[in-house]
Amino acid sequence: MSVWRFLARRLVASLFVLAGVSVLIFCLARVIPGDPARIALGPNAEREQVEAMRHELWLDRPLAEQYVRFVGGALRGDLGISLYNHRPVMETIRRTLPVTVELILAAAVLTALIGVPMGIVAARWRDGAIDNITRLISLLGAAAPSFVWAILLMLGFAYTLQIFPIAGRLSEAMHAPPSVTGLLLVDCVIAGQWAVLGDGLRHICLPALALSLSGIAQIARMTRANMVEVYDSAHIELARAFAFSEASMALKYALRPALIPTLTLFGLQIAALLGNAFLVEAVFGYPGIAQFGVQAILQKDLNGIVGCVLVIAAAFLAANVAVDLAVAFVDPRIRLGARRG
Amino acid sequence: MSDAMLSVEDVHLRVRRFEGVHHILKGVSFAVQAGERLAIVGESGCGKSLTARVLLGLLDRKRIDISGVARFNGTDLLGLAPAAWRGVRGRRIAMIFQDPSTALNPVFTIGDQLRTVIRRGQGVTRAEADGQALAMLEAVAIPDPARVLAAYPFQLSGGLAQRVLIAMALVNRPELIVADEPGTALDVTVQEQTLRLMHRLTAERGAAVILITHNLGVVRRFAARICVMYGGSIVEQGGVDDIFARPAHPYTQALLRAVPRLTGAGLPEGIDGSVPDYLSPPSGCRFRPRCPRAIDACAVDQPLLEVGPGHQVACGRAA
């Protein structure tokens, strides 16, 4: 019913955004200085070779024509050949994107599972120990970006204490199970390879934690602020006046209204995770899309840049549609289409 | 007084804030007999809603000092441990909230909220609570109770939501109902209907009612006795007819002159000035700065003195 209409409307809107992003990044990649053919062939290449390559890449055609050809290919799942690793961009994305998605999902789960309970406890026992710890973490989270945390966590837990592996996705001795979902941890569960699952989990802990720290702090603060506000509302006073239990107020009657703004913030957090994942992956030598993306930018690999940006934009849009659906699920006023006066 | 169902004696309420201590309730005393209907009347900020919240233990005692006694069938509510409140709230004393648009949780159905009220109050099974919820909504004259149970608050009109609040207050058959300006947020005709319904249902069940209101017109029809409150003290109390016919306190007299009338000449008269500042209130009678008849003797605290049978006033000019 109305949820499906809502979903359809959001998906159509997302397609328009994606089309806009594709025009923008396609033009931007070509406007920034530096000749991709010259960079790819090196300073010693002959002029004729460079010209031939420019022709081969359609760089000597008008921008509009190049774009139309690109869209034609993209619709068939062909994003062109990368100038950096000379393989189809789509293939590289298919290989590296799941790794990054898995890292971001892990960070998002950590953010939700640590941030929300922290906020609830901080609001319930205002100015208590947990409240002060959340304050400290949010200060630290705001003071240092995630790649700094990545380095600090790596130094502390991987280098000094040696509790976690330093880098990479899996240990040398481990072999990934056949890809079903592309998400290593899920594939391990499907294949029943528990040793590999354990190794994968150990490898993902530090990067996911580094990535999620600032989000945890923000979600905790937001949840706390909303919970405090809801605790002061008339309907919680009514709940008290009718002897509702403290637990049911904290986990149900106050939490649900308080979660609505938190969920919206969560959508924005996912955008931040996508950006920060590049840096965290670089620190931990994580085989995600970051390595390819960074090289594509440095090498002015046009197809690589456009492909990476489009995939990230699509992931961001999908995450936001998911968050909107979650908000609609939690808030009946949105789900049932209330006209608010 | 000792046989009263509820007797409130010399309750003081002080709020500590950054700028100092606000002494809001000053020696509030009144009693309610079983099945009685008492109205507490006063302008906004006189402490009447706070009095209601004291009776249900809804105030944060860490920030708010409350002293005095509020004896309800033998137990002192002000000394009640948090766990002991469970047996009282919603079960023996229930409150009807003022604004149905904010008092119901916006993201849960009416059925969920009403059922929780019933289950917390009576400890019955879910099915039993469902049955009671349906029957109670029928009792408050809601035409389609099953639909209302499945609805969210925003899907109900104000009048319907207010009836749900009444249903919540009545469903566990409490002995005392504290009605905090019910229906004030609604338009006048709906408010009238709401009050009539509340009146009928509480009379049927023999529950005592404390009706908190600033509307004297409402009081005359729905209460037997009135406490007039000003600046955190009860300045006059007595039977409805006595108060309307022979108001003894200058504030009560001014309040009655401020009621708009359809018949008779002249506009209602306002009262000059505003409610006292609770941070540094005037000594003695708190109405003194606004009172046309104040004398020096009013600067000391005025006890409630009998001026007629069951009619008492706290005024320096009454003696």
Side-chain angles (χ1 to χ4, degrees):
Chain A
M1 19 172 283
S2 66
V3 175
W4 296 114
R5 261 187 56 201
F6 170 79
L7 186 62
R9 222 176 30 228
R10 287 304 312 264
L11 285 177
V12 170
S14 301
L15 284 180
F16 277 103
V17 174
L18 211 52
V21 169
S22 75
V23 174
L24 202 66
I25 189 61
F26 192 85
C27 297
L28 272 180
R30 278 156 177 77
V31 164
I32 47 174
D35 181 354
R38 170 58 74 187
I39 294 171
L41 293 171
N44 298 327
E46 298 290 328
R47 240 191 89 113
E48 289 74 37
Q49 282 178 288
V50 173
E51 281 306 318
M53 190 164 187
R54 284 180 59 83
H55 182 73
E56 192 189 328
L57 291 172
W58 299 79
L59 290 177
D60 53 355
R61 307 292 173 87
L63 209 54
E65 193 187 334
Q66 290 181 44
Y67 182 71
V68 169
R69 290 190 56 83
F70 161 75
V71 170
L75 288 178
R76 279 180 278 110
D78 175 13
L79 292 172
I81 303 287
S82 162
L83 290 180
Y84 157 62
N85 62 8
H86 309 290
R87 299 165 76 160
V89 171
M90 201 62 182
E91 183 204 299
T92 309
I93 287 175
R94 208 170 273 151
R95 185 166 44 82
T96 56
L97 182 67
V99 178
T100 300
V101 166
E102 188 174 58
L103 178 62
I104 287 169
L105 283 179
V109 167
L110 278 184
T111 306
L113 289 189
I114 299 177
V116 173
M118 259 174 109
I120 295 171
V121 173
R124 179 66 190 79
W125 290 281
R126 251 179 268 181
D127 299 317
I130 299 277
D131 196 11
N132 289 325
I133 292 171
T134 351
R135 255 181 221 146
L136 185 70
I137 290 186
S138 67
L139 200 70
L140 294 175
S146 56
F147 65 88
V148 173
W149 287 117
I151 293 167
L152 289 177
L153 288 173
M154 186 193 248
L155 278 176
F157 292 98
Y159 183 75
T160 309
L161 296 174
Q162 304 196 348
I163 302 172
F164 291 104
I166 286 222
R169 184 71 195 93
L170 277 180
S171 304
E172 296 277 333
M174 296 290 177
H175 296 286
S179 171
V180 181
T181 59
L183 306 178
L184 178 72
L185 297 178
V186 181
D187 286 344
C188 285
V189 173
I190 292 172
Q193 298 202 7
W194 309 115
V196 185
L197 178 70
D199 191 59
L201 278 175
R202 275 162 47 78
H203 277 86
I204 207 171
C205 273
L206 292 185
L209 189 61
L211 198 51
S212 58
L213 267 180
S214 78
I216 288 173
Q218 287 193 46
I219 293 288
R221 297 307 293 170
M222 184 78 163
T223 307
R224 179 198 183 272
N226 296 332
M227 288 288 281
V228 165
E229 203 185 308
V230 174
Y231 266 123
D232 283 340
S233 69
H235 61 82
I236 290 300
E237 189 175 41
L238 179 139
R240 284 225 170 81
F242 284 100
F244 287 25
S245 70
E246 285 291 338
S248 81
M249 284 190 282
L251 299 176
K252 185 176 173 187
Y253 293 101
L255 180 60
R256 196 143 166 194
L259 267 187
I260 295 162
T262 309
L263 274 172
T264 312
L265 176 69
F266 201 73
L268 297 173
Q269 282 299 318
I270 289 175
L273 288 181
L274 282 163
N276 287 331
F278 265 65
L279 301 164
V280 172
E281 279 184 9
V283 172
F284 283 97
Y286 218 69
I289 202 171
Q291 282 183 357
F292 175 66
V294 169
Q295 287 307 321
I297 291 168
L298 292 178
Q299 302 274 335
K300 204 153 187 286
D301 172 5
L302 293 181
N303 293 334
I305 293 173
V306 173
C308 283
V309 170
L310 278 184
V311 160
I312 287 168
F316 176 64
L317 289 170
N320 271 285
V321 171
V323 164
D324 283 344
L325 273 178
V327 171
F329 174 75
V330 171
D331 189 348
R333 288 164 296 191
I334 293 174
R335 180 168 76 242
L336 303 170
R339 300 278 178 271
R340 303 284 290 167
Chain B
M1 272 233 173
S2 57
D3 57 335
M5 179 174 73
L6 173 74
S7 85
V8 175
E9 287 153 36
D10 199 30
V11 166
H12 288 258
L13 183 148
R14 292 178 178 86
V15 183
R16 274 164 298 161
R17 293 230 178 89
F18 174 71
E19 65 280 8
V21 176
H22 296 249
H23 186 178
I24 300 179
L25 295 186
K26 182 187 170 194
V28 172
S29 301
F30 63 90
V32 182
Q33 311 296 324
E36 195 190 15
R37 334 178 136 268
L38 171 75
I40 298 180
V41 185
E43 61 199 306
S44 338
C46 73
K48 53 194 197 299
S49 281
L50 271 179
T51 306
R53 279 155 180 77
V54 168
L55 296 179
L56 277 151
L58 292 177
L59 302 169
D60 180 1
R61 299 287 285 269
K62 277 193 225 110
R63 292 185 301 124
I64 299 173
D65 282 331
I66 303 171
S67 67
V69 177
R71 209 177 301 286
F72 176 69
N73 285 333
T75 45
D76 182 15
L77 296 175
L78 298 184
L80 222 50
W85 271 110
R86 197 190 153 180
V88 177
R89 283 178 186 156
R91 184 186 294 193
R92 305 187 61 192
I93 306 178
M95 184 153 162
I96 300 179
F97 281 76
Q98 176 178 3
D99 183 355
S101 68
T102 58
L104 290 167
N105 195 314
V107 298
F108 291 94
T109 61
I110 302 297
D112 179 298
Q113 300 182 54
L114 186 52
R115 206 162 43 229
T116 310
V117 167
I118 295 168
R119 296 191 67 181
R120 290 297 289 178
Q122 304 173 34
V124 295
T125 63
R126 198 190 149 101
E128 167 68 23
D130 269 333
Q132 282 198 34
L134 212 60
M136 192 64 227
L137 289 190
E138 254 162 34
V140 294
I142 286 177
D144 189 357
R147 184 189 68 84
V148 169
L149 279 182
Y152 289 93
F154 73 89
Q155 295 170 310
L156 303 183
S157 68
L160 221 49
Q162 184 73 60
R163 280 170 194 220
V164 170
L165 292 180
I166 293 175
M168 279 181 172
L170 288 170
V171 74
N172 294 330
R173 297 192 162 264
E175 296 140 73
L176 173 65
I177 285 172
V178 181
D180 184 13
E181 310 210 25
T184 311
L186 309 173
D187 65 61
V188 187
T189 51
V190 182
Q191 185 188 0
E192 177 79 18
Q193 282 173 10
T194 307
L195 285 163
R196 270 181 209 287
L197 182 76
M198 187 186 86
H199 188 76
R200 181 169 60 76
L201 290 171
T202 50
E204 277 170 19
R205 286 152 195 256
V209 178
I210 297 176
L211 175 65
I212 287 169
T213 181
H214 60 261
N215 184 344
L216 274 172
V218 160
V219 169
R220 193 156 205 176
R221 272 163 296 148
F222 297 107
R225 228 151 50 76
I226 299 182
C227 288
V228 180
M229 227 174 151
Y230 181 81
S233 304
I234 287 172
V235 294
E236 182 166 7
Q237 57 174 313
V240 167
D241 293 335
D242 287 335
I243 300 263
F244 275 86
R246 289 177 295 282
H249 197 281
Y251 176 64
T252 315
Q253 292 160 4
L255 210 55
L256 286 168
R257 281 196 300 273
V259 175
R261 279 164 220 282
L262 290 176
T263 56
L267 289 168
E269 284 173 41
I271 308 174
D272 289 335
S274 59
V275 277
D277 161 22
Y278 292 109
L279 188 59
S280 49
S283 65
C285 174
R286 285 181 170 180
F287 189 56
R288 190 161 52 90
R290 295 168 79 182
C291 183
R293 296 170 56 206
I295 52 175
D296 291 346
C298 297
V300 294
D301 289 349
Q302 303 296 324
L304 278 168
L305 299 173
E306 203 88 10
V307 289
H311 185 180
Q312 298 167 312
V313 66
C315 178
R317 301 294 295 260

